Amino acid sequence: LMNELRERRTDAIREALASPGATLENVLLAFAWQIFRPLDDENRARSFIQLGHREMAEPRLPAAFCNENIVDPIERALGEAIRRFVPELSGDEARLAVHAFVGQLFHAVEMASAAGLSLAEIEARFSARGPWKRRLPIVLDTLTAVGRVREHEGRYRAM
């Protein structure tokens, strides 16, 4: 299952890079889709969540297993993709960009209040500068489509 999750995410990055007219935005969106895409089989998704909770409470896997088999390969693939579009970044800077992007994704869906947050309130929580804000509705639509966010009367909350 972990291999499948890793492969889905790295394949999404590779496919977005190989598409005609590939852009950094398309690569990041493809990756975000796979991060929040539920597994095809609900029982497998439930099992994976239960295993994750159990592993956090009572670790049974070798200490570096998740990093070596999931985090590092995905971080490397996304970092290399980012450097393709921003070649002046060092490897460490690309890694930090990956961490910032994933952190921002999770921050965007962290909307825990019952009322949720408006688009303007979500934008205000981001610290990054640049034209990304005009693409935030696309990210929210994607997160809504995959069931990670619910929108009601212009307010978004995490699921």
Side-chain angles (χ1 to χ4, degrees):
L1 183 58
M2 290 183 182
N3 288 340
E4 180 183 342
L5 292 174
R6 179 192 65 233
E7 291 306 312
R8 282 186 182 191
R9 292 168 183 170
T10 56
D11 286 349
I13 294 166
R14 279 192 292 275
E15 288 169 13
L17 284 170
S19 68
T23 65
L24 179 56
E25 290 81 8
N26 291 345
V27 171
L28 295 176
L29 189 57
F31 174 74
W33 177 263
Q34 285 301 321
I35 285 289
F36 296 109
R37 180 177 178 236
L39 294 169
D40 296 332
D41 180 336
E42 189 175 322
N43 290 329
R44 289 181 72 204
R46 189 175 300 113
S47 295
F48 182 73
I49 291 167
Q50 289 172 346
L51 285 171
H53 286 291
R54 190 176 315 140
E55 186 61 26
M56 285 188 278
E58 231 179 279
R60 294 184 180 149
L61 295 172
F65 181 84
C66 287
N67 279 346
E68 291 172 357
N69 292 287
I70 297 177
V71 176
D72 292 346
I74 293 170
E75 181 182 281
R76 207 170 20 259
L78 190 56
E80 289 169 5
I82 290 171
R83 288 188 72 202
R84 176 175 165 185
F85 296 98
V86 189
E88 62 273 14
L89 289 181
S90 70
D92 286 342
E93 290 169 327
R95 186 175 52 81
L96 290 174
V98 170
H99 289 204
F101 179 67
V102 172
Q104 294 286 357
L105 285 174
F106 284 102
H107 188 68
V109 296
E110 185 183 63
M111 303 161 250
S113 70
L117 300 173
S118 69
L119 181 60
E121 291 167 327
I122 295 168
E123 287 176 350
R125 288 181 170 217
F126 280 87
S127 59
R129 286 184 250 169
W132 64 268
K133 285 185 181 183
R134 66 188 150 113
R135 290 183 289 278
L136 185 57
I138 296 169
V139 173
L140 287 171
D141 287 346
T142 301
L143 294 173
T144 301
V146 298
R148 300 300 299 177
V149 169
R150 177 170 288 151
E151 185 273 332
H152 180 68
E153 296 180 359
R155 300 189 70 77
Y156 299 84
R157 67 182 178 93
M159 298 305 302

